[in-house]
Amino acid sequence: IIVIYNNLYHIFIVYPIHFNCIRKLGGFIMQKYVCIPCTYVYDPEYGDPDNGIDPDTPFEDLPDDWVCPVCGATKDEFDLLED
């Protein structure tokens, strides 16, 4: 995918393994997810270290029993945060 932004070309490579993870030359851009009940935003760049989730962990790779650290909502109560 080629995107023109501010008169510059940005080249992105989409990997089918993680549909919400786009590789930009020089690093990954991982999608953020928002908790519907409390609006907590899971940012993969930071992970959730208080609950054993390392930085750079995509939302899709979170354990099935992971819950929102603020309100306890399950993963299925999160939506993709649109930029």
Side-chain angles (χ1 to χ4, degrees):
I1 300 170
I2 299 175
V3 177
I4 301 173
Y5 179 73
N6 287 341
N7 294 325
L8 297 173
Y9 290 92
H10 299 273
I11 300 172
F12 296 89
I13 302 168
V14 178
Y15 286 88
I17 295 171
H18 294 291
F19 292 102
N20 294 318
C21 184
I22 301 171
R23 180 169 179 127
K24 181 180 179 183
L25 294 180
F28 283 99
I29 299 172
M30 290 182 276
Q31 298 294 315
K32 298 175 185 175
Y33 282 77
V34 62
C35 178
I36 298 166
C38 75
T39 68
Y40 165 81
V41 175
Y42 176 77
D43 186 342
E45 181 179 347
Y46 302 107
D48 183 11
D50 292 339
N51 293 300
I53 306 300
D54 293 329
D56 298 323
T57 301
F59 186 82
E60 296 82 5
D61 290 349
L62 293 173
D64 290 336
D65 61 350
W66 180 84
V67 295
C68 174
V70 175
C71 73
T74 59
K75 283 176 59 177
D76 62 346
E77 295 179 84
F78 279 72
D79 274 340
L80 180 63
L81 182 64
E82 301 292 333
D83 292 330

